[in-house]
Amino acid sequence: MNIPKLKHSGSGNFFLIAGPCAIENRPMALDIAAKLVDITNRLEIPFLFKGSYRKANRTKLNSFTGIGDVAALEILKEVGETFDVPTVTDFHESHEAAMAAHYVDVLQIPAFLCRQTDMLTAAAETGKVVNIKKGQFMSGDSMAFAVEKVKSVNPDAAVFLTDRGNSFGYGDLIVDYRNLPVMQAHGVPVVMDCTHSLQQPNQSSGVTGGKPALIATIAKAAIAVGADGLFIETHPNPSEAKSDGANMLPLNQLEELLAKLVRIRKAIS
């Protein structure tokens, strides 16, 4: 896939999309990016830095949504320029695609919005790489139509699909690994979201829960199945994160996990 600034693509490793759930402030974003770049360079893992400029899908009205769209997007742009890495962010309304495209390399369609035709076509019109999260209510087969919508506007668009589990009752998700090869059959790279797939949504507290102890399990299985990439949200102190702390991986645990995953990838190659 032609992604600007993506390094180590010839290493044979999976690629990694990682970063904090939301851009909380400039020092934290730059610090996380510096550590991720160092780790992925040493392990020769192609790396894209991810951060949301705004969290529009929150359970409670008073939940943290962001520091301001332009302020957060400027930080994402600075990360990309400082470390010479591609950057990824999600957007939530079709008219925001052009704005976000001025700052990042990859536009991400949130899972709940993966059927929104206007969102998909707006992303395609920017000429940016498009990452489409598979809805928790969608099958891998049905994601072919999301890819088709992007390609109908821009036949040369680079697209990849990301699985983040399927709804299992009201408050849990389950990963069906059959969806990875099914979505690869659509002719696009496929990513496993190892952190959001462990969310426990719809909690009575109004704050989404999670099972971060199982992140390594999800990631190892995804690599064994043949995922092209992994999506892992990480934070220096998840308990203090302003969004999705309950299912993020502590930053100091990431390198050991990635080293194991590289070995698994080599073993199955």
Side-chain angles (χ1 to χ4, degrees):
M1 179 183 295
N2 183 22
I3 302 177
K5 299 182 282 188
L6 189 65
K7 303 173 184 176
H8 308 299
S9 56
S11 67
N13 279 328
F14 53 90
F15 63 91
L16 176 69
I17 303 172
C21 177
I23 299 298
E24 298 179 13
N25 56 66
R26 177 179 177 274
M28 185 199 75
L30 290 169
D31 181 61
I32 292 174
K35 289 180 170 63
L36 291 174
V37 168
D38 178 59
I39 292 169
T40 54
N41 277 342
R42 283 188 280 106
L43 294 175
E44 296 187 334
I45 297 172
F47 168 61
L48 302 87
F49 180 85
K50 181 268 171 185
S52 295
Y53 65 87
R54 179 171 11 101
K55 303 303 296 182
N57 177 25
R58 301 289 86 188
T59 302
K60 297 171 68 176
L61 181 63
N62 61 352
S63 294
F64 173 80
T65 58
I67 60 174
D69 293 356
V70 173
L73 285 166
E74 289 282 5
I75 291 170
L76 281 163
K77 182 179 180 181
E78 183 177 358
V79 167
E81 292 176 346
T82 300
F83 299 102
D84 195 29
V85 296
T87 51
V88 183
T89 198
D90 46 339
F91 67 104
H92 304 89
E93 295 186 62
S94 56
H95 68 83
E96 296 176 5
M99 173 187 71
H102 286 298
Y103 298 91
V104 300
D105 303 290
V106 180
L107 294 176
Q108 181 170 289
I109 309 295
F112 282 127
L113 301 174
C114 69
R115 285 170 53 97
Q116 297 298 105
T117 301
D118 288 350
M119 292 274 293
L120 293 162
T121 56
E125 287 169 356
T126 68
K128 297 290 184 175
V129 179
V130 183
N131 178 27
I132 311 171
K133 289 281 197 81
K134 182 183 74 62
Q136 301 91 321
F137 45 87
M138 299 279 284
S139 69
D141 288 303
S142 61
M143 291 303 293
F145 304 108
V147 175
E148 183 180 272
K149 289 177 182 180
V150 173
K151 295 286 190 176
S152 70
V153 173
N154 182 1
D156 298 322
V159 181
F160 48 91
L161 297 173
T162 296
D163 193 356
R164 53 147 302 158
N166 283 80
S167 296
F168 189 68
Y170 290 118
D172 206 355
L173 298 168
I174 190 167
V175 177
D176 181 353
Y177 286 95
R178 294 176 299 177
N179 281 320
L180 274 62
V182 166
M183 291 195 296
Q184 285 172 329
H186 303 328
V188 298
V190 172
V191 180
M192 184 71 235
D193 184 337
C194 304
T195 45
H196 287 102
S197 60
L198 290 166
Q199 280 185 336
Q200 293 179 304
N202 303 320
Q203 300 298 303
S204 59
S205 65
V207 178
T208 298
K211 298 180 179 179
L214 293 175
I215 291 171
T217 300
I218 298 293
K220 290 174 185 177
I223 294 301
V225 169
D228 300 289
L230 297 178
F231 182 110
I232 300 176
E233 288 189 340
T234 185
H235 192 281
N237 190 347
S239 65
E240 296 181 0
K242 295 183 178 181
S243 177
D244 279 0
N247 53 267
M248 278 199 278
L249 183 72
L251 185 56
N252 62 8
Q253 296 179 18
L254 183 62
E255 182 169 7
E256 181 180 2
L257 173 58
L258 291 176
K260 291 178 181 177
L261 297 174
V262 167
R263 293 197 292 273
I264 293 172
R265 179 62 173 249
K266 289 180 179 177
I268 66 171
S269 297

